[in-house]
Amino acid sequence: MIIRFVQGTTWNSQLIVMQSKTAMPFTPSHVEALTPDGFLLGAHFGSGVQKRKPGYDNEHTAHELYIELDATADQNKLFYEFLESKIGEPYDWRAIFGFLLPAHEHTMNHAICSALITLALRECRWFQFVLASPAHLISPRDLLLMVSSRMLVPMG
């Protein structure tokens, strides 16, 4: 399983970075998975869950980091099956407002990038235990922190 953390340069990416505070090697504003067939699969502001060709966001990317997660063949299968089953799911605008406002907002069967990847990691049991926060309240920075608790994250 390979996931990609990105810090974007668009206004909505910068709002996520400002809200998230600092992380290392950078504060991500987006996270998605690199699929075995070479696409990037994630939840996108405005268009929902979809696969895109690598490089789709080059002009709006300040930093990126690919991390290969240690996983069994069964975990890989479950992870990617879960993600593929979510293609077409709408974007969860309310969850984004929940990050920015002191509110607990979320629309069922809608996804933000970090919730999508977090739920896929739960589905394949990469996270062995129930998480202490609902997935729609986990930011890309939070997910990077969670991954760094299980493995070495390159710092540069």
Side-chain angles (χ1 to χ4, degrees):
M1 297 181 307
I2 299 174
I3 56 177
R4 175 187 182 237
F5 289 95
V6 180
Q7 184 183 79
T9 60
T10 61
W11 67 269
N12 52 327
S13 292
Q14 291 307 301
L15 282 175
I16 293 167
V17 169
M18 285 189 292
Q19 183 278 335
S20 297
K21 309 291 188 271
T22 302
M24 291 180 273
F26 59 87
T27 303
S29 57
H30 179 67
V31 60
E32 57 197 357
L34 179 64
T35 64
D37 59 355
F39 288 90
L40 294 169
L41 195 160
H44 301 277
F45 189 76
S47 57
V49 179
Q50 61 182 274
K51 287 173 121 174
R52 294 183 174 187
K53 292 181 180 179
Y56 75 89
D57 60 348
N58 283 350
E59 66 187 57
H60 300 291
T61 298
H63 304 284
E64 70 179 353
L65 174 66
Y66 285 86
I67 299 177
E68 186 169 356
L69 306 178
D70 290 332
T72 65
D74 286 341
Q75 285 176 311
N76 271 303
K77 181 179 182 293
L78 290 169
F79 177 78
Y80 289 112
E81 283 177 352
F82 178 87
L83 290 174
E84 292 279 342
S85 77
K86 298 300 179 182
I87 292 174
E89 191 167 288
Y91 194 76
D92 190 358
W93 294 87
R94 290 179 64 202
I96 294 298
F97 290 119
F99 283 129
L100 303 175
L101 305 171
H104 179 63
E105 298 291 331
H106 170 56
T107 303
M108 292 297 293
N109 300 313
H110 288 60
I112 58 172
C113 63
S114 48
L116 177 69
I117 301 301
T118 298
L119 291 171
L121 291 170
R122 279 183 38 201
E123 179 71 18
C124 74
R125 310 271 303 147
W126 196 81
F127 291 128
Q128 296 176 358
F129 305 105
V130 174
L131 301 177
S133 178
H136 64 272
L137 293 178
I138 295 172
S139 71
R141 177 202 174 266
D142 296 340
L143 185 55
L144 179 60
L145 175 65
M146 293 161 61
V147 167
S148 75
S149 75
R150 291 221 23 211
M151 59 182 290
L152 179 65
V153 171
M155 291 297 152

